[in-house]
Structure formats: C-alpha cells, structure tokens
Amino acid sequence: MNTNVQHTIDSSLKRLSSALAAGRSETLTDYLRAMARFHDYSWFNVMMIFTQRPEATRVAGYNTWKKVGRWVMRGQKGIVILAPLLKKDEEGNRDLYGFKAVRVYDIRQTDGRSLPEFDSVHGDPGRFTQSLAALAHDQGIEVEYVDSLGGPDGVSQGGKVMVCKDLPEGEQFAVLAHELAHELMHRGERKASKKTKELEAEAVAFVVCSVLGLDTYSRSRDYIGLYGGSAEALADSLQHIQQTVKFMLSAVI
C-alpha cells in the first residue's frame, strides 16, 4: 500500500476520533429527541403491522405524529395493533389486565415536518462498488440487492449481505462497505459488543470511502454516536479497523 493511501487512512481516523471526542452533534441530538417519542413494538404487533402494511418503516399513533410536527393525511386507514391496559395496585405497581385495539400510521401516511436524518454520502464510487462486491464473492459472501429491508439500508446475516437497491450510488457503496466489514470482522471467534461492532464497521466504511474520495464524515460521526461510540473505543479497535480497511482497499484500488 503506497504512502499516500496510508496517510489518508491515518488522517481519516484522526479526523473521526476528533469528531467523536467532541461529543454529540446537533443533528444527532435532534434525531435522538425525535426518536424518543416512538415506541418499540412487540413481536406480535410487528407482525400485525407487517400483515396490514408490509412497506411500513416508521409507525406511530396520531398524537405522536402531531408532537413531531406531522399529521395523518385525510382518508388514511390506520394500522390496527394491540395496546396493553394497565392499572395500579395498592402498592403503586402497574398490572396488566387486558388489551385494546388502537390504530397507528406509517410515516408515508403522514405529511408535515421532515424527521431529523443523518447526512448522506457525497460522491460517486464508480467501478468501486462492483470491485467491493467481487471481494465479497471471493470471500464466500453473497451480496443481494433488495427493494426494501423494512427500515435499514443494509444488513449482514453471516455469509450474506443485503443492500437496498434504490439508494444513491455513494450511499449504496458506503452501506455495502459497512455490512461487508461486519462479515469480515464479526463472524469469527472474536467477541465484541453491539456498540463495538457498529463503531468498527462504520469506521471501516468511513475510511474506505475517504480514500476513494467519498464524503461520509457527518453520517459516520452521527451513526457511531448513535451507538455510543467514543474516541477511546475507536482507539481500542484501531488495529482491527486498519487491517480490514487495508484488506478492502487492496481489492478495489
């Protein structure tokens, strides 16, 4: 690997470390504040949502949408789920005594203020996307481009990576690099927490993109911050990240 590439790798990691040390960005803070209003649904309710509206990505009740500056459009049919009925006993504990049917709505059934989002990837990867997919194939990892993953842009499933096909080209490359990093770093005997895995995969994607001229700085900083990643954690994983970056780059440039 030539000196210029190594310099870009080192400077990119230093830049990312400085960003993480600076703490949460305003974008991440706004995102977390908005997402805190949404509920995590039970497996049963997830299945109910899927059977009624398979394309749903972000659902909430009528009042929750109002609180984030959106409203349900006229004529939209709600998605029926079951909400628990709770009552307090004499000691103040909350007991479940039944369920009731309530209606929620997918974001596509609403209009109004846009929800906070992370910045996108800027730049054109050109032939590098095919080269990265070829590297995955050589490692016995299947790459599949799909219409939708129900929210995420990509997933890693142990021997298989799926990426949404309608993403902009730069975004698609960055997602592929992230998910491939999971396959290369996190499918063996080495143990790591969810936070560490996401930090490592996104750091790899960030550095690879930086070397190839794609800008993922804001997106990667906020993504890692979302999972609680820090400059100290980045330093702890630096060797693993650099090894994976060099392995990817050796196959695409």
Side-chain angles (χ1 to χ4, degrees), residues 26 167 178 246:
E26 183 178 346
L167 296 174
H178 178 105
K246 291 177 180 179

Side-chain angles (χ1 to χ4, degrees), residues 44-57:
F44 180 80
N45 277 334
V46 168
M47 290 299 100
M48 290 189 69
I49 292 167
F50 178 77
T51 56
Q52 295 170 75
R53 199 173 183 90
E55 72 278 14
T57 57

Side-chain angles (χ1 to χ4, degrees), residues 120-121 123 125 129 144-149 151-155 162-177 179 219:
S120 57
V121 178
T129 302
E144 181 181 356
Y145 296 96
V146 298
D147 291 329
S148 173
L149 290 167
D153 291 332
V155 295
M162 292 191 289
V163 179
C164 290
K165 63 173 63 171
D166 291 333
L167 296 174
E169 292 183 358
E171 197 81 22
Q172 192 175 86
F173 178 87
V175 171
L176 176 58
E179 301 304 337
R219 173 187 181 276

Side-chain angles (χ1 to χ4, degrees), residues 19-60:
L20 295 176
R24 290 178 178 175
S25 70
E26 183 178 346
T27 299
L28 178 57
T29 300
D30 289 344
Y31 178 85
L32 292 172
R33 187 182 295 117
M35 292 307 106
R37 295 186 179 275
F38 294 92
H39 298 288
D40 289 327
Y41 291 101
S42 67
W43 179 88
F44 180 80
N45 277 334
V46 168
M47 290 299 100
M48 290 189 69
I49 292 167
F50 178 77
T51 56
Q52 295 170 75
R53 199 173 183 90
E55 72 278 14
T57 57
R58 172 68 64 184
V59 300

Side-chain angles (χ1 to χ4, degrees), residues 191-208:
K191 302 298 182 183
S193 66
K194 174 71 171 177
K195 177 175 71 175
T196 298
K197 289 177 180 178
E198 295 305 327
L199 179 148
E200 291 178 347
E202 189 59 27
V204 167
F206 169 71
V207 177
V208 169

Side-chain angles (χ1 to χ4, degrees), residues 8-20 121-122 173-179 181 198-224 234 241 245 248-249:
T8 304
I9 292 173
D10 293 340
S11 62
S12 297
L13 287 168
K14 288 179 181 177
R15 187 182 182 209
L16 182 58
S17 178
S18 297
L20 295 176
V121 178
H122 304 287
F173 178 87
V175 171
L176 176 58
H178 178 105
E179 301 304 337
E198 295 305 327
L199 179 148
E200 291 178 347
E202 189 59 27
V204 167
F206 169 71
V207 177
V208 169
C209 286
S210 296
V211 172
L212 300 179
L214 302 175
D215 180 10
T216 71
Y217 174 72
S218 296
R219 173 187 181 276
S220 294
R221 173 197 58 192
D222 289 338
Y223 184 92
I224 291 172
L234 180 66
I241 292 167
V245 165
M248 281 193 189
L249 289 175

Side-chain angles (χ1 to χ4, degrees), residues 83-146:
L85 295 172
L86 302 170
K87 63 179 179 180
K88 289 186 178 181
D89 61 21
E90 294 178 353
E91 297 179 353
N93 299 314
R94 301 176 72 186
D95 293 328
L96 174 69
Y97 69 93
F99 294 89
K100 66 175 181 179
V102 298
R103 295 184 182 275
V104 293
Y105 302 86
D106 180 50
I107 189 171
R108 300 180 193 183
Q109 298 176 279
T110 68
D111 199 359
R113 183 189 306 163
S114 296
L115 294 179
E117 294 181 349
F118 293 162
D119 197 8
S120 57
V121 178
H122 304 287
D124 181 4
R127 63 174 179 83
F128 295 126
T129 302
Q130 290 184 334
S131 298
L132 198 60
L135 170 62
H137 181 268
D138 291 342
Q139 296 298 306
I141 301 165
E142 180 185 355
V143 176
E144 181 181 356
Y145 296 96
V146 298

